[in-house]
Structure formats: C-alpha cells, structure tokens
Amino acid sequence: SNENIYKIKVHQQSNSVDCGVFSIANAFPLLLDTENSPSNIQFCEQKMRQHLEACLLSSKLELFPQ
C-alpha cells in the first residue's frame, strides 16, 4: 500500500518526561475530528497531566487546556 506520512510542527514539551502526555494531547484534535490542527495549539503545560487523568477517569475525550 502507498501511504503517506506527514510530519507537522506541534507544541513541544519543555522537559524530558511529558512526551506521552503531549503525544496524546496532539492526537485528541484528530480523534475528535475538530477543525483545529495540532500545529495551531499551544497547550497549558501545567494542566495537561491533570486533564489527561480526568479524561481517563470519566471515559470522555476532551481537548486539552490551551
């Protein structure tokens, strides 16, 4: 199969421990089929882990705080 892979610039974590949280946060706009591209989002890093935990506990996908 001929599949294309596109690399886009996204908000990068400022430390070496939040790569998983950022990967999930950048996937949410794509999963939720919003018009927001991950390349246009600046996340509120201080709230990201708490937000992910809340999403997992409630079983609801919501965009990460920006």
Side-chain angles (χ1 to χ4, degrees):
S1 107
N2 264 348
E3 295 184 28
N4 294 322
I5 297 174
Y6 298 96
K7 181 179 175 184
I8 60 173
K9 292 185 180 206
V10 295
H11 182 181
Q12 301 290 310
Q13 76 258 24
S14 59
N15 58 45
S16 62
V17 296
D18 285 335
C19 51
V21 176
F22 269 80
S23 296
I24 295 168
N26 282 305
F28 272 32
L30 303 173
L31 292 171
L32 296 171
D33 198 27
T34 67
E35 292 184 14
N36 285 336
S37 166
S39 62
N40 297 327
I41 297 174
Q42 279 291 118
F43 296 109
C44 179
E45 293 186 49
Q46 297 80 10
K47 297 180 180 180
M48 291 179 74
R49 285 180 173 269
Q50 182 180 14
H51 177 78
L52 177 57
E53 180 181 19
C55 287
L56 294 172
L57 290 173
S58 68
S59 299
K60 293 182 181 178
L61 297 178
E62 295 182 14
L63 291 176
F64 277 65
Q66 301 175 29

Short mmCIF file of all heavy atoms in Angstrom, two decimals:
data_model
loop_
_atom_site.label_atom_id
_atom_site.label_comp_id
_atom_site.label_asym_id
_atom_site.label_seq_id
_atom_site.Cartn_x
_atom_site.Cartn_y
_atom_site.Cartn_z
N SER A 1 0.84 -1.18 0.00
CA SER A 1 0.00 0.00 0.00
C SER A 1 0.88 1.24 0.00
O SER A 1 1.95 1.27 0.59
CB SER A 1 -0.94 -0.07 1.19
OG SER A 1 -0.63 0.81 2.21
N ASN A 2 0.43 2.27 -0.68
CA ASN A 2 1.14 3.55 -0.75
C ASN A 2 0.52 4.53 0.24
O ASN A 2 -0.44 5.21 -0.07
CB ASN A 2 1.05 4.15 -2.15
CG ASN A 2 2.25 3.82 -2.98
OD1 ASN A 2 3.24 3.34 -2.45
ND2 ASN A 2 2.17 4.06 -4.27
N GLU A 3 1.05 4.59 1.43
CA GLU A 3 0.54 5.52 2.44
C GLU A 3 1.56 6.63 2.64
O GLU A 3 2.75 6.39 2.68
CB GLU A 3 0.27 4.79 3.75
CG GLU A 3 -0.83 3.76 3.62
CD GLU A 3 -1.15 3.11 4.94
OE1 GLU A 3 -0.96 3.74 5.98
OE2 GLU A 3 -1.61 1.97 4.91
N ASN A 4 1.05 7.84 2.78
CA ASN A 4 1.92 8.99 3.03
C ASN A 4 1.93 9.30 4.52
O ASN A 4 0.92 9.20 5.19
CB ASN A 4 1.41 10.21 2.27
CG ASN A 4 1.52 10.02 0.77
OD1 ASN A 4 2.48 9.43 0.30
ND2 ASN A 4 0.54 10.50 0.05
N ILE A 5 3.06 9.70 5.00
CA ILE A 5 3.21 10.13 6.38
C ILE A 5 3.58 11.60 6.35
O ILE A 5 4.53 12.00 5.67
CB ILE A 5 4.29 9.32 7.12
CG1 ILE A 5 3.88 7.86 7.18
CG2 ILE A 5 4.52 9.89 8.51
CD1 ILE A 5 4.94 6.94 7.76
N TYR A 6 2.83 12.41 7.07
CA TYR A 6 3.08 13.84 7.12
C TYR A 6 3.56 14.23 8.51
O TYR A 6 2.99 13.81 9.51
CB TYR A 6 1.81 14.63 6.79
CG TYR A 6 1.28 14.35 5.41
CD1 TYR A 6 0.29 13.41 5.20
CD2 TYR A 6 1.82 15.01 4.31
CE1 TYR A 6 -0.18 13.14 3.92
CE2 TYR A 6 1.36 14.74 3.03
CZ TYR A 6 0.36 13.81 2.85
OH TYR A 6 -0.09 13.54 1.60
N LYS A 7 4.60 15.00 8.57
CA LYS A 7 5.15 15.48 9.83
C LYS A 7 4.78 16.96 9.94
O LYS A 7 5.08 17.74 9.04
CB LYS A 7 6.66 15.29 9.85
CG LYS A 7 7.31 15.73 11.12
CD LYS A 7 8.81 15.47 11.06
CE LYS A 7 9.48 16.03 12.28
NZ LYS A 7 10.94 15.89 12.22
N ILE A 8 4.11 17.31 11.04
CA ILE A 8 3.75 18.71 11.25
C ILE A 8 4.41 19.21 12.52
O ILE A 8 4.74 18.43 13.42
CB ILE A 8 2.21 18.90 11.34
CG1 ILE A 8 1.63 18.09 12.48
CG2 ILE A 8 1.55 18.53 10.02
CD1 ILE A 8 0.17 18.35 12.75
N LYS A 9 4.62 20.51 12.59
CA LYS A 9 5.20 21.12 13.79
C LYS A 9 4.10 21.29 14.83
O LYS A 9 3.03 21.78 14.53
CB LYS A 9 5.84 22.46 13.46
CG LYS A 9 7.06 22.33 12.60
CD LYS A 9 7.74 23.66 12.39
CE LYS A 9 8.94 23.42 11.51
NZ LYS A 9 9.99 24.39 11.70
N VAL A 10 4.39 20.85 16.05
CA VAL A 10 3.44 20.98 17.16
C VAL A 10 4.17 21.52 18.38
O VAL A 10 5.40 21.55 18.44
CB VAL A 10 2.79 19.61 17.49
CG1 VAL A 10 1.94 19.11 16.34
CG2 VAL A 10 3.82 18.58 17.89
N HIS A 11 3.39 21.93 19.37
CA HIS A 11 3.93 22.42 20.64
C HIS A 11 4.77 21.31 21.27
O HIS A 11 4.31 20.20 21.45
CB HIS A 11 2.75 22.80 21.55
CG HIS A 11 3.16 23.37 22.87
ND1 HIS A 11 2.23 23.74 23.79
CD2 HIS A 11 4.35 23.63 23.45
CE1 HIS A 11 2.82 24.20 24.87
NE2 HIS A 11 4.13 24.14 24.68
N GLN A 12 6.02 21.60 21.59
CA GLN A 12 6.94 20.62 22.17
C GLN A 12 6.97 20.76 23.69
O GLN A 12 6.86 21.86 24.23
CB GLN A 12 8.35 20.84 21.62
CG GLN A 12 8.45 20.74 20.11
CD GLN A 12 8.25 19.32 19.63
OE1 GLN A 12 8.87 18.39 20.12
NE2 GLN A 12 7.37 19.15 18.67
N GLN A 13 7.15 19.65 24.38
CA GLN A 13 7.27 19.71 25.83
C GLN A 13 8.56 20.41 26.23
O GLN A 13 9.53 20.40 25.49
CB GLN A 13 7.19 18.31 26.44
CG GLN A 13 8.44 17.47 26.29
CD GLN A 13 8.32 16.43 25.20
OE1 GLN A 13 7.55 16.55 24.26
NE2 GLN A 13 9.12 15.40 25.31
N SER A 14 8.53 20.99 27.42
CA SER A 14 9.70 21.74 27.89
C SER A 14 10.56 20.90 28.83
O SER A 14 11.50 21.42 29.43
CB SER A 14 9.24 23.02 28.60
OG SER A 14 8.41 22.69 29.70
N ASN A 15 10.24 19.62 28.97
CA ASN A 15 11.02 18.73 29.83
C ASN A 15 11.18 17.38 29.14
O ASN A 15 10.72 17.20 28.02
CB ASN A 15 10.34 18.59 31.21
CG ASN A 15 8.94 18.04 31.10
OD1 ASN A 15 8.68 17.08 30.38
ND2 ASN A 15 8.00 18.65 31.81
N SER A 16 11.77 16.44 29.83
CA SER A 16 12.01 15.13 29.21
C SER A 16 11.06 14.05 29.70
O SER A 16 11.27 12.88 29.42
CB SER A 16 13.45 14.70 29.47
OG SER A 16 13.66 14.56 30.87
N VAL A 17 9.98 14.43 30.38
CA VAL A 17 9.09 13.42 30.95
C VAL A 17 7.65 13.49 30.43
O VAL A 17 6.85 12.62 30.75
CB VAL A 17 9.07 13.49 32.50
CG1 VAL A 17 10.43 13.15 33.07
CG2 VAL A 17 8.60 14.84 32.98
N ASP A 18 7.29 14.50 29.65
CA ASP A 18 5.91 14.67 29.22
C ASP A 18 5.64 14.25 27.78
O ASP A 18 4.62 14.61 27.21
CB ASP A 18 5.48 16.13 29.41
CG ASP A 18 5.21 16.47 30.85
OD1 ASP A 18 4.89 15.55 31.64
OD2 ASP A 18 5.29 17.66 31.21
N CYS A 19 6.53 13.46 27.18
CA CYS A 19 6.34 13.11 25.77
C CYS A 19 5.04 12.32 25.55
O CYS A 19 4.34 12.54 24.57
CB CYS A 19 7.53 12.36 25.22
SG CYS A 19 8.07 10.95 26.19
N GLY A 20 4.69 11.43 26.46
CA GLY A 20 3.46 10.66 26.31
C GLY A 20 2.23 11.54 26.40
O GLY A 20 1.29 11.41 25.60
N VAL A 21 2.22 12.45 27.37
CA VAL A 21 1.10 13.37 27.54
C VAL A 21 0.95 14.25 26.29
O VAL A 21 -0.16 14.46 25.80
CB VAL A 21 1.27 14.24 28.81
CG1 VAL A 21 0.17 15.26 28.93
CG2 VAL A 21 1.32 13.37 30.05
N PHE A 22 2.05 14.74 25.78
CA PHE A 22 2.00 15.58 24.58
C PHE A 22 1.55 14.78 23.35
O PHE A 22 0.81 15.30 22.52
CB PHE A 22 3.35 16.24 24.32
CG PHE A 22 3.49 17.58 24.98
CD1 PHE A 22 3.79 17.67 26.33
CD2 PHE A 22 3.31 18.75 24.28
CE1 PHE A 22 3.90 18.89 26.95
CE2 PHE A 22 3.42 19.99 24.89
CZ PHE A 22 3.72 20.06 26.23
N SER A 23 1.97 13.54 23.25
CA SER A 23 1.53 12.70 22.12
C SER A 23 0.02 12.54 22.15
O SER A 23 -0.66 12.67 21.12
CB SER A 23 2.18 11.32 22.18
OG SER A 23 3.56 11.44 22.02
N ILE A 24 -0.52 12.25 23.33
CA ILE A 24 -1.96 12.09 23.48
C ILE A 24 -2.68 13.40 23.22
O ILE A 24 -3.68 13.45 22.50
CB ILE A 24 -2.30 11.51 24.87
CG1 ILE A 24 -1.73 10.09 24.99
CG2 ILE A 24 -3.80 11.54 25.12
CD1 ILE A 24 -1.74 9.54 26.40
N ALA A 25 -2.17 14.49 23.78
CA ALA A 25 -2.80 15.81 23.61
C ALA A 25 -2.85 16.20 22.14
O ALA A 25 -3.86 16.76 21.68
CB ALA A 25 -2.04 16.86 24.42
N ASN A 26 -1.80 15.91 21.40
CA ASN A 26 -1.77 16.25 19.98
C ASN A 26 -2.66 15.35 19.15
O ASN A 26 -3.12 15.74 18.07
CB ASN A 26 -0.33 16.21 19.46
CG ASN A 26 0.44 17.45 19.85
OD1 ASN A 26 0.03 18.56 19.57
ND2 ASN A 26 1.56 17.27 20.52
N ALA A 27 -2.95 14.15 19.64
CA ALA A 27 -3.83 13.23 18.91
C ALA A 27 -5.30 13.57 19.11
O ALA A 27 -6.12 13.31 18.22
CB ALA A 27 -3.57 11.79 19.37
N PHE A 28 -5.66 14.16 20.25
CA PHE A 28 -7.07 14.43 20.55
C PHE A 28 -7.77 15.25 19.47
O PHE A 28 -8.88 14.89 19.07
CB PHE A 28 -7.21 15.10 21.91
CG PHE A 28 -7.35 14.11 23.05
CD1 PHE A 28 -6.74 12.87 23.02
CD2 PHE A 28 -8.08 14.44 24.17
CE1 PHE A 28 -6.86 11.98 24.07
CE2 PHE A 28 -8.22 13.54 25.23
CZ PHE A 28 -7.60 12.31 25.18
N PRO A 29 -7.21 16.36 18.99
CA PRO A 29 -7.93 17.12 17.94
C PRO A 29 -8.19 16.28 16.69
O PRO A 29 -9.23 16.44 16.05
CB PRO A 29 -6.99 18.29 17.61
CG PRO A 29 -6.11 18.42 18.79
CD PRO A 29 -5.98 17.04 19.37
N LEU A 30 -7.31 15.36 16.38
CA LEU A 30 -7.50 14.49 15.22
C LEU A 30 -8.57 13.45 15.51
O LEU A 30 -9.43 13.18 14.68
CB LEU A 30 -6.18 13.80 14.86
CG LEU A 30 -5.01 14.75 14.56
CD1 LEU A 30 -3.73 13.96 14.38
CD2 LEU A 30 -5.30 15.60 13.35
N LEU A 31 -8.55 12.88 16.71
CA LEU A 31 -9.55 11.87 17.09
C LEU A 31 -10.95 12.47 17.20
O LEU A 31 -11.93 11.83 16.88
CB LEU A 31 -9.17 11.24 18.44
CG LEU A 31 -7.92 10.37 18.44
CD1 LEU A 31 -7.55 10.00 19.87
CD2 LEU A 31 -8.14 9.13 17.61
N LEU A 32 -11.02 13.70 17.69
CA LEU A 32 -12.30 14.36 17.88
C LEU A 32 -12.79 15.02 16.60
O LEU A 32 -13.87 15.60 16.57
CB LEU A 32 -12.21 15.38 19.00
CG LEU A 32 -11.92 14.81 20.39
CD1 LEU A 32 -11.64 15.92 21.39
CD2 LEU A 32 -13.08 13.94 20.86
N ASP A 33 -11.99 14.94 15.54
CA ASP A 33 -12.36 15.49 14.23
C ASP A 33 -12.72 16.97 14.31
O ASP A 33 -13.71 17.42 13.76
CB ASP A 33 -13.51 14.69 13.62
CG ASP A 33 -13.63 14.93 12.12
OD1 ASP A 33 -12.61 15.27 11.48
OD2 ASP A 33 -14.75 14.80 11.59
N THR A 34 -11.92 17.73 15.06
CA THR A 34 -12.14 19.16 15.15
C THR A 34 -11.44 19.84 13.97
O THR A 34 -10.64 19.24 13.26
CB THR A 34 -11.56 19.74 16.45
OG1 THR A 34 -10.14 19.63 16.41
CG2 THR A 34 -12.12 19.03 17.66
N GLU A 35 -11.74 21.09 13.79
CA GLU A 35 -11.07 21.85 12.73
C GLU A 35 -9.71 22.37 13.19
O GLU A 35 -8.97 22.91 12.39
CB GLU A 35 -11.97 23.01 12.28
CG GLU A 35 -13.22 22.52 11.58
CD GLU A 35 -14.08 23.65 11.04
OE1 GLU A 35 -13.59 24.79 10.97
OE2 GLU A 35 -15.23 23.38 10.70
N ASN A 36 -9.41 22.21 14.48
CA ASN A 36 -8.12 22.65 14.99
C ASN A 36 -7.05 21.64 14.64
O ASN A 36 -7.16 20.47 14.96
CB ASN A 36 -8.16 22.78 16.52
CG ASN A 36 -8.90 24.00 16.98
OD1 ASN A 36 -9.02 24.96 16.24
ND2 ASN A 36 -9.40 23.97 18.19
N SER A 37 -6.03 22.09 13.98
CA SER A 37 -4.88 21.24 13.71
C SER A 37 -3.98 21.30 14.94
O SER A 37 -3.83 22.35 15.55
CB SER A 37 -4.12 21.77 12.50
OG SER A 37 -2.85 21.16 12.42
N PRO A 38 -3.37 20.19 15.32
CA PRO A 38 -2.44 20.23 16.45
C PRO A 38 -1.33 21.26 16.26
O PRO A 38 -0.78 21.75 17.24
CB PRO A 38 -1.86 18.82 16.48
CG PRO A 38 -2.86 17.97 15.80
CD PRO A 38 -3.52 18.85 14.77
N SER A 39 -1.03 21.62 15.03
CA SER A 39 0.04 22.59 14.79
C SER A 39 -0.37 24.01 15.19
O SER A 39 0.48 24.89 15.30
CB SER A 39 0.47 22.57 13.32
OG SER A 39 -0.61 22.94 12.49
N ASN A 40 -1.65 24.24 15.44
CA ASN A 40 -2.13 25.58 15.82
C ASN A 40 -2.43 25.70 17.31
O ASN A 40 -3.01 26.68 17.74
CB ASN A 40 -3.42 25.92 15.05
CG ASN A 40 -3.18 25.98 13.56
OD1 ASN A 40 -2.12 26.38 13.10
ND2 ASN A 40 -4.17 25.56 12.80
N ILE A 41 -2.05 24.71 18.11
CA ILE A 41 -2.42 24.68 19.52
C ILE A 41 -1.20 24.88 20.41
O ILE A 41 -0.16 24.24 20.21
CB ILE A 41 -3.11 23.34 19.87
CG1 ILE A 41 -4.40 23.20 19.08
CG2 ILE A 41 -3.37 23.25 21.37
CD1 ILE A 41 -5.09 21.85 19.25
N GLN A 42 -1.33 25.75 21.40
CA GLN A 42 -0.35 25.92 22.46
C GLN A 42 -1.02 25.41 23.74
O GLN A 42 -1.99 26.00 24.21
CB GLN A 42 0.05 27.38 22.64
CG GLN A 42 1.07 27.88 21.66
CD GLN A 42 2.44 27.25 21.87
OE1 GLN A 42 2.93 26.57 20.99
NE2 GLN A 42 3.04 27.44 23.01
N PHE A 43 -0.53 24.32 24.30
CA PHE A 43 -1.13 23.73 25.48
C PHE A 43 -0.71 24.45 26.75
O PHE A 43 0.37 25.02 26.83
CB PHE A 43 -0.75 22.25 25.59
CG PHE A 43 -1.26 21.42 24.47
CD1 PHE A 43 -0.40 20.91 23.52
CD2 PHE A 43 -2.61 21.15 24.34
CE1 PHE A 43 -0.87 20.14 22.46
CE2 PHE A 43 -3.10 20.38 23.29
CZ PHE A 43 -2.22 19.88 22.36
N CYS A 44 -1.57 24.40 27.76
CA CYS A 44 -1.24 24.87 29.10
C CYS A 44 -0.57 23.69 29.81
O CYS A 44 -1.25 22.80 30.32
CB CYS A 44 -2.51 25.31 29.83
SG CYS A 44 -2.18 25.88 31.49
N GLU A 45 0.75 23.69 29.80
CA GLU A 45 1.51 22.53 30.27
C GLU A 45 1.21 22.18 31.73
O GLU A 45 1.23 21.01 32.09
CB GLU A 45 3.01 22.77 30.10
CG GLU A 45 3.42 22.82 28.63
CD GLU A 45 4.92 22.91 28.45
OE1 GLU A 45 5.65 22.12 29.07
OE2 GLU A 45 5.35 23.78 27.67
N GLN A 46 0.93 23.16 32.57
CA GLN A 46 0.70 22.91 33.99
C GLN A 46 -0.59 22.11 34.24
O GLN A 46 -0.74 21.50 35.28
CB GLN A 46 0.60 24.24 34.77
CG GLN A 46 1.85 25.07 34.75
CD GLN A 46 2.03 25.88 33.46
OE1 GLN A 46 1.13 25.97 32.63
NE2 GLN A 46 3.21 26.43 33.29
N LYS A 47 -1.50 22.09 33.27
CA LYS A 47 -2.79 21.42 33.47
C LYS A 47 -2.92 20.11 32.69
O LYS A 47 -3.93 19.42 32.80
CB LYS A 47 -3.92 22.36 33.05
CG LYS A 47 -4.01 23.62 33.88
CD LYS A 47 -5.15 24.49 33.42
CE LYS A 47 -5.24 25.76 34.24
NZ LYS A 47 -6.34 26.62 33.79
N MET A 48 -1.91 19.76 31.91
CA MET A 48 -2.05 18.64 30.98
C MET A 48 -2.21 17.28 31.67
O MET A 48 -3.08 16.50 31.32
CB MET A 48 -0.87 18.61 30.01
CG MET A 48 -0.90 19.77 29.04
SD MET A 48 0.49 19.76 27.93
CE MET A 48 0.03 18.44 26.84
N ARG A 49 -1.38 16.99 32.65
CA ARG A 49 -1.46 15.68 33.31
C ARG A 49 -2.78 15.53 34.06
O ARG A 49 -3.41 14.47 34.00
CB ARG A 49 -0.28 15.49 34.27
CG ARG A 49 1.02 15.21 33.56
CD ARG A 49 2.17 15.03 34.55
NE ARG A 49 3.35 14.60 33.84
CZ ARG A 49 3.67 13.33 33.65
NH1 ARG A 49 2.91 12.38 34.12
NH2 ARG A 49 4.76 13.02 32.98
N GLN A 50 -3.20 16.57 34.74
CA GLN A 50 -4.47 16.53 35.47
C GLN A 50 -5.63 16.34 34.49
O GLN A 50 -6.57 15.59 34.76
CB GLN A 50 -4.64 17.82 36.27
CG GLN A 50 -5.90 17.86 37.10
CD GLN A 50 -6.02 19.17 37.88
OE1 GLN A 50 -5.31 20.14 37.62
NE2 GLN A 50 -6.93 19.19 38.82
N HIS A 51 -5.57 17.01 33.36
CA HIS A 51 -6.62 16.88 32.35
C HIS A 51 -6.68 15.46 31.80
O HIS A 51 -7.76 14.88 31.65
CB HIS A 51 -6.41 17.88 31.21
CG HIS A 51 -7.41 17.75 30.12
ND1 HIS A 51 -8.67 18.26 30.22
CD2 HIS A 51 -7.34 17.12 28.91
CE1 HIS A 51 -9.35 17.97 29.12
NE2 HIS A 51 -8.56 17.29 28.31
N LEU A 52 -5.53 14.87 31.50
CA LEU A 52 -5.49 13.51 30.98
C LEU A 52 -6.08 12.54 32.00
O LEU A 52 -6.89 11.67 31.66
CB LEU A 52 -4.06 13.10 30.63
CG LEU A 52 -3.88 11.66 30.15
CD1 LEU A 52 -4.74 11.36 28.92
CD2 LEU A 52 -2.42 11.38 29.87
N GLU A 53 -5.73 12.71 33.26
CA GLU A 53 -6.28 11.84 34.30
C GLU A 53 -7.81 11.96 34.36
O GLU A 53 -8.52 10.96 34.44
CB GLU A 53 -5.68 12.19 35.66
CG GLU A 53 -6.21 11.33 36.78
CD GLU A 53 -5.64 11.70 38.14
OE1 GLU A 53 -5.12 12.82 38.31
OE2 GLU A 53 -5.75 10.85 39.05
N ALA A 54 -8.32 13.20 34.29
CA ALA A 54 -9.76 13.42 34.32
C ALA A 54 -10.45 12.75 33.13
O ALA A 54 -11.51 12.16 33.27
CB ALA A 54 -10.07 14.91 34.36
N CYS A 55 -9.84 12.84 31.95
CA CYS A 55 -10.41 12.21 30.76
C CYS A 55 -10.46 10.69 30.93
O CYS A 55 -11.45 10.05 30.59
CB CYS A 55 -9.58 12.55 29.52
SG CYS A 55 -9.79 14.24 28.95
N LEU A 56 -9.39 10.11 31.45
CA LEU A 56 -9.35 8.67 31.63
C LEU A 56 -10.36 8.20 32.68
O LEU A 56 -11.04 7.19 32.49
CB LEU A 56 -7.94 8.22 32.02
CG LEU A 56 -6.86 8.42 30.95
CD1 LEU A 56 -5.48 8.13 31.52
CD2 LEU A 56 -7.14 7.56 29.74
N LEU A 57 -10.49 8.95 33.77
CA LEU A 57 -11.42 8.57 34.82
C LEU A 57 -12.88 8.71 34.39
O LEU A 57 -13.73 7.94 34.81
CB LEU A 57 -11.17 9.40 36.09
CG LEU A 57 -9.86 9.09 36.82
CD1 LEU A 57 -9.62 10.08 37.95
CD2 LEU A 57 -9.86 7.66 37.34
N SER A 58 -13.16 9.70 33.57
CA SER A 58 -14.55 9.94 33.13
C SER A 58 -14.88 9.22 31.82
O SER A 58 -16.03 9.25 31.38
CB SER A 58 -14.79 11.44 32.96
OG SER A 58 -14.05 11.95 31.87
N SER A 59 -13.89 8.62 31.19
CA SER A 59 -14.06 7.97 29.88
C SER A 59 -14.58 8.94 28.81
O SER A 59 -15.34 8.56 27.94
CB SER A 59 -15.00 6.76 29.97
OG SER A 59 -14.48 5.80 30.86
N LYS A 60 -14.17 10.21 28.90
CA LYS A 60 -14.58 11.22 27.93
C LYS A 60 -13.34 11.88 27.34
O LYS A 60 -12.43 12.28 28.05
CB LYS A 60 -15.43 12.31 28.60
CG LYS A 60 -16.77 11.82 29.08
CD LYS A 60 -17.55 12.96 29.68
CE LYS A 60 -18.90 12.46 30.18
NZ LYS A 60 -19.67 13.54 30.81
N LEU A 61 -13.34 12.01 26.01
CA LEU A 61 -12.25 12.71 25.33
C LEU A 61 -12.60 14.18 25.22
O LEU A 61 -13.64 14.53 24.67
CB LEU A 61 -12.04 12.14 23.92
CG LEU A 61 -11.60 10.69 23.79
CD1 LEU A 61 -11.49 10.33 22.31
CD2 LEU A 61 -10.30 10.46 24.49
N GLU A 62 -11.76 15.01 25.74
CA GLU A 62 -11.94 16.46 25.62
C GLU A 62 -10.60 17.08 25.27
O GLU A 62 -9.56 16.60 25.70
CB GLU A 62 -12.46 17.06 26.92
CG GLU A 62 -13.85 16.56 27.29
CD GLU A 62 -14.38 17.19 28.57
OE1 GLU A 62 -13.79 18.20 29.03
OE2 GLU A 62 -15.35 16.67 29.12
N LEU A 63 -10.65 18.15 24.49
CA LEU A 63 -9.40 18.82 24.12
C LEU A 63 -8.65 19.27 25.36
O LEU A 63 -9.24 19.66 26.36
CB LEU A 63 -9.70 20.03 23.24
CG LEU A 63 -10.22 19.73 21.83
CD1 LEU A 63 -10.58 21.02 21.12
CD2 LEU A 63 -9.20 18.94 21.02
N PHE A 64 -7.34 19.22 25.27
CA PHE A 64 -6.50 19.63 26.39
C PHE A 64 -6.55 21.15 26.56
O PHE A 64 -6.75 21.88 25.58
CB PHE A 64 -5.07 19.17 26.15
CG PHE A 64 -4.81 17.74 26.54
CD1 PHE A 64 -5.44 16.70 25.89
CD2 PHE A 64 -3.98 17.44 27.60
CE1 PHE A 64 -5.21 15.37 26.25
CE2 PHE A 64 -3.75 16.13 27.98
CZ PHE A 64 -4.37 15.10 27.30
N PRO A 65 -6.33 21.62 27.80
CA PRO A 65 -6.33 23.07 28.05
C PRO A 65 -5.28 23.78 27.20
O PRO A 65 -4.19 23.28 27.03
CB PRO A 65 -5.98 23.19 29.53
CG PRO A 65 -6.27 21.85 30.11
CD PRO A 65 -6.08 20.85 29.00
N GLN A 66 -5.68 24.93 26.69
CA GLN A 66 -4.77 25.71 25.82
C GLN A 66 -4.50 27.04 26.44
O GLN A 66 -5.23 27.54 27.24
CB GLN A 66 -5.43 25.91 24.45
CG GLN A 66 -5.76 24.59 23.80
CD GLN A 66 -6.52 24.76 22.51
OE1 GLN A 66 -6.38 25.76 21.82
NE2 GLN A 66 -7.34 23.79 22.17
#
